[in-house]
Amino acid sequence: SPVVAVVSSAFLLVVTTAKALSLGSMPVLYCKPSADLASVGDCPFTQYARMAMEISGKSYVVKPTAKDAKPEWLLKDHGGSMPCLALSEAGDGAVSESSKIASEALPPTQEDTISMEAASTLFGAIAKFIKNTDDAKDADLKLNLDKALTTLEARLQQVTEGFLSGGTSLGLSDCFVATKLYVLVVAGEHFKNYDI
């Protein structure tokens, strides 16, 4: 399916191109850690920011940061919100919105904007369905999710070239959609036995 192709192409690109960089004068991306507190955690917002930065070729250092290890400036100026990209470990020029980090790294094309609008309800629908614990609400939440996927599928049918960005290379909308579909593929199957 085109949806699965977007997920596997875009997400695999980030996984296979992740760079091991040392701290220095490069921007630092603070993000939630995994259970080992040393690796990057499984956060779709961080994945979105990282994918855009990797595709654009931006250099940065990723710094998984536990709650109790967040710098004072991150807590004070950004409410501890991550991901947060700073020009230095002192917090210079910090931005803590994944959408802003991603769009500054990889500016959207007109096609990206149209595709992201088509997918604008997707993550909310995924989160509500997966997090729901009231079985009586599952059918309605699944229907809402299916509607969001149908809207995305219609957009995919309109794209004449390879990717949602409307071209032959990945763009911002591919990052936007792939990270959300990754959540659905992994968590949807695990928690709700949902398969796209």
Side-chain angles (χ1 to χ4, degrees), residues 104-132:
E104 286 181 7
L106 192 63
T109 64
Q110 183 177 2
E111 293 296 315
D112 280 321
T113 302
I114 294 167
S115 295
M116 291 187 322
E117 178 60 33
S120 64
T121 62
L122 184 60
F123 191 69
I126 292 168
K128 287 176 184 175
F129 177 62
I130 291 173
K131 291 179 178 182
N132 178 52

Side-chain angles (χ1 to χ4, degrees), residues 1 17 32 34 63 74 80 92 101 124 127 149 181 191:
S1 123
T17 61
K32 295 177 184 175
S34 63
K63 187 169 184 175
L74 180 59
D92 301 317
I101 295 167
L149 287 168
L181 292 177
F191 292 108

Side-chain angles (χ1 to χ4, degrees), residues 52-75:
M53 292 178 71
E54 290 291 334
I55 291 168
S56 69
K58 301 288 184 195
S59 294
Y60 67 100
V61 176
V62 65
K63 187 169 184 175
T65 307
K67 286 181 182 181
D68 61 352
K70 291 179 181 180
E72 185 61 35
W73 63 262
L74 180 59
L75 296 168

Side-chain angles (χ1 to χ4, degrees), residues 14 26 96 146 193:
V14 167
M26 282 187 263
S96 62
D146 289 342
N193 201 27

Side-chain angles (χ1 to χ4, degrees), residues 20-189:
L21 300 170
S22 61
L23 290 174
S25 62
M26 282 187 263
V28 180
L29 183 68
Y30 292 83
C31 61
K32 295 177 184 175
S34 63
D36 68 7
L37 301 179
S39 305
V40 175
D42 194 13
C43 169
F45 304 106
T46 297
Q47 293 163 352
Y48 175 38
R50 288 187 72 198
M51 283 183 72
M53 292 178 71
E54 290 291 334
I55 291 168
S56 69
K58 301 288 184 195
S59 294
Y60 67 100
V61 176
V62 65
K63 187 169 184 175
T65 307
K67 286 181 182 181
D68 61 352
K70 291 179 181 180
E72 185 61 35
W73 63 262
L74 180 59
L75 296 168
K76 179 182 170 197
D77 300 338
H78 300 277
S81 182
M82 295 187 291
C84 185
L85 182 68
L87 298 178
S88 70
E89 287 192 273
D92 301 317
V95 176
S96 62
E97 293 177 40
S98 60
S99 60
K100 189 170 182 179
I101 295 167
S103 64
E104 286 181 7
L106 192 63
T109 64
Q110 183 177 2
E111 293 296 315
D112 280 321
T113 302
I114 294 167
S115 295
M116 291 187 322
E117 178 60 33
S120 64
T121 62
L122 184 60
F123 191 69
I126 292 168
K128 287 176 184 175
F129 177 62
I130 291 173
K131 291 179 178 182
N132 178 52
T133 57
D134 182 352
D135 291 342
K137 294 180 180 179
D138 260 0
D140 286 340
L141 292 171
K142 182 182 178 295
L143 181 62
N144 189 45
L145 173 56
D146 289 342
K147 285 180 185 176
L149 287 168
T150 299
T151 301
L152 176 59
E153 188 73 32
R155 174 61 186 149
L156 284 168
Q157 299 303 321
Q158 295 171 353
V159 175
T160 56
E161 292 189 53
F163 295 98
L164 285 171
S165 58
T168 56
S169 60
L170 293 168
L172 187 64
S173 57
D174 301 294
C175 302
F176 182 80
V177 171
T179 53
K180 289 151 183 65
L181 292 177
Y182 178 74
V183 170
L184 181 57
V185 168
V186 175
E189 172 70 26

